[in-house]
Amino acid sequence: MSDQKKIHDFAPRTLGAGFVHKRDLVLAIILVAFGAFMYYEASKFPEAPAILGDTLNADVFPKMLITIMFLLVAIIPFEFKLTPEKVAKIDKDRDDKTLTITWLTILLLLTIVSFAEFLGAVVTMVITCLALPLLWGERNYIAVIIYSILFPGFVYLLFNKLLGLYFNPGILEAFK
Amino acid sequence: MEDVLRGFQLLMEVQNLALIFGGVLIGVLVGALPGLSSPMAIALLMPFTISLDPVASISMMAALYCAGTFGGSITAILINAPGAPPAVATALDGYMMAKNGEPGRALGLAAICSVLGGIFAIIIFLFATPLLAEIALKFGPVEYFGLTLFALSMLAAMSGKSSIRNLIAGAMGVLVSTIGVHLATGVERYEFGVPELTEGIKFVPVLIGLFAMSELLNQSKTLNAAVERMSAKALKLPTIAELKELKGTILRSSGLGTFIGILPAEGATVAAMMGYNEAKRFSKTPEKFGTGCAEGIAGPEAANNAAAGGAMVPTLALGIPGSGTTALILAALVMHGFRPGPYLISETPHLVYAIFGAMLFANFAFLGIGLVGAKFFSYVTFIPKRFLWPSVFIFSLIGSYAYSSAIFDVWVMLISGIIGYFALRNGFSPAPFVMGLILGKMVEETFTQSMVIYESNFFNFFESGVFIFFIILTCISLTTPFWGTIRKKLAAKKVE
């Protein structure tokens, strides 16, 4: 079978698409919704005062930009017809489902940042050094403990003591 | 001449030399570690350089950029895991040469060809930057608007998975740059009742999020990937006879790399691939490519390092980034209060020459580091990811917080990282977004000024010949990525 034939076959079979690429259609809808929201927000910007004469209103540039974005986004669902090999590579990445570990990592990072101000810099660093390796499957507990003491200690000495960076004490303030 | 001496004098201060050498070490280290990259390192370093001397800080980043490009080749050769995208082409023959029992020779070739390519580009950089800046000084807003349009259109040809997605990411970056007070009218845009947004989105947390956080999430999927390493007992430099044989390849690749680097948005990765292809095309023994041949290492190595030097030319002379990494250096220039663009060389020429000196120093420094420490740098890949990436997260946290001591910036960093991760999965690279974000203000300013000058009629912009020239270039760069597909389709029709 010639390479060209393979390309013709490849679109409907690999991409699950005949006329449009379904995943990219969903992506385009999300981007259009975002663009529409930004366009709507831009239309609420107040006009420039008359004293400024010919100066463009604040909404002109964003609206122009969003219009260009809409035009580009409209191509996405059909991009597999223009550059099938490139879209196939993107699909390969997308086929690799985001693993539970990635979702858990996102959740952990969000939690750490949520409590960072309350906990303070040093405690946040220690918790990160303990929690992230354990979440990622590290079972050498002694190594994790040593790491969670030495690394934050090194960072504290380097940035706070040597470079004079302010570290929010957080809950450690109570022990001062 | 006085400015050149002043720039070099600044570099000769012990503290500045130490910073530049530190930049080289960090560059080689992050270059060698798959997943870590020079843009990520620069993004993470940026907030910590606020209190340092601005010239030394920028020079350190430039040195890091040069060294990072070479660092990637060490792991490409020894473990077939390119530490940085520009080293992908080097792995093709470098790893094979190492497998054939000559890892030291492969590393030596890579180091020497990188240095030669780098020095070639720096010489061009020294002469081209003032020349280009002089031309750009004659540009008015409309010519500059044309230039920024051309730079943004080059995102279509930028290495990445999809030209359309690169352009959308660039447009998205420009849109994000409009957040905050509109300078011409004083109107607050997209601030959504969040006071921190009135000043606009700060570059640094976004850059850290996009380059470091999204990669951290990406790495969480490959925690158990195993690597096979070649042992390199000593680095073997190529002989004079060998270099004479390779001189054509090195010169051609250096020229090609510098040219590609100078083009806005194009960077070392494209240069390396083209350097490899051209080396193969001109070779008397193209069949040896992929089996461990010297030309297959010399071509991409000279090209990718030359591109790093070339990319600094538009960055410093025009304020238009020559690559993703130089976009970050541009952001650092702005952060330190410099005015990137043609005025940089007329107002602060010593800075430009200091950067030139730092890059020259970096080239010799990484040769020394490569000679002494290649073996050590190949070991850094054995640092367990389970400990490496939490450390990167901590640096990201501190880096984004340190910038203005606000937890809001940490949130910006984390959210940028999460969005960046999902965007990357869908074919959107962070580099075009960053280019858009950094060029955004310039695009809008020059467009607004041009509209005022040309009585709010866009078609009057075409009265400027330079603008027409840039528009033609823009059209060419927008359509280039599709030429190959169209040619293939036409050929297929002919066959049918």
Side-chain angles (χ1 to χ4, degrees), chain B residues 396-418:
Chain B
S396 307
L397 265 183
I398 294 172
S400 46
Y401 184 78
Y403 190 58
S404 51
S405 299
I407 199 77
F408 177 79
D409 289 340
V410 178
W411 278 111
V412 170
M413 178 273 293
L414 189 58
I415 291 165
S416 306
I418 295 170

Side-chain angles (χ1 to χ4, degrees), chain A residues 4 8 24 27 31 34 37-39 41-42 45-49 52 54-62 64-66 69 72-73 75-76 79 81-87 89-90 93-94 96-99 101-103 105-106 109-110 112-114 116-117 124-125 128-129 132-133 136-138 140 143-144 147 151 154-155 159 163 165-168, chain B residues 48 51-52 145 156 160-165 167-168 171-172 174-175 177-179 182 184-190 192 213 216-221 223 384-395 397-398 401-402 405 407 410-411 413-415 418 421-422 424-428 440 443-444 447-448 451-452 455-456 481-482 485 488-489 492 496:
Chain A
Q4 203 51 45
H8 286 307
D24 280 340
L27 183 67
L31 289 171
F34 171 75
F37 170 71
M38 296 299 266
Y39 196 97
E41 282 294 320
F45 296 157
E47 280 193 13
L52 291 173
D54 280 341
T55 301
L56 291 181
N57 282 324
D59 64 329
V60 174
F61 186 72
M64 203 174 76
L65 201 62
I66 295 164
M69 257 174 62
L72 291 168
V73 168
I75 305 172
I76 287 190
E79 200 188 1
K81 288 185 187 285
L82 293 167
T83 51
E85 296 90 349
K86 285 184 177 176
V87 178
K89 271 186 202 161
I90 297 168
D93 285 350
R94 289 191 284 206
D96 172 21
K97 295 261 183 291
T98 299
L99 301 172
I101 191 76
T102 310
W103 286 110
T105 305
I106 292 174
L109 299 184
L110 286 169
I112 288 172
V113 173
S114 304
E117 207 162 23
T124 304
M125 284 194 288
T128 305
C129 291
L132 213 46
W136 283 3
E138 182 58 55
N140 185 346
V144 174
Y147 168 67
F151 189 72
F154 161 74
V155 171
F159 291 107
L163 296 175
L165 203 74
Y166 172 71
F167 274 24
N168 169 26
Chain B
F48 303 116
S51 56
L52 299 175
F145 176 61
K161 287 171 190 156
S162 148
S163 311
I164 299 288
R165 284 164 221 242
L167 288 171
I168 294 172
M172 205 69 102
V174 179
L175 185 64
S177 78
T178 64
I179 295 174
H182 181 224
T185 59
V187 169
E188 287 179 2
R189 298 188 294 192
Y190 302 123
F192 304 112
M213 278 301 94
L216 181 148
L217 294 173
N218 212 21
Q219 292 289 329
S220 69
K221 294 185 294 184
L223 293 169
K385 283 183 182 179
R386 294 185 179 104
F387 293 114
L388 176 70
W389 287 95
S391 313
V392 170
F393 176 65
I394 285 173
F395 281 127
L397 265 183
I398 294 172
Y401 184 78
S405 299
I407 199 77
V410 178
W411 278 111
M413 178 273 293
L414 189 58
I415 291 165
I418 295 170
Y421 168 71
F422 286 105
L424 200 63
R425 276 174 64 87
N426 284 290
F428 297 93
V443 182
E444 184 172 14
F447 173 70
T448 310
M451 287 296 268
V452 172
E455 293 158 351
S456 301
F482 304 104
T485 315
K488 267 186 203 167
K489 285 198 172 170
E496 276 172 19

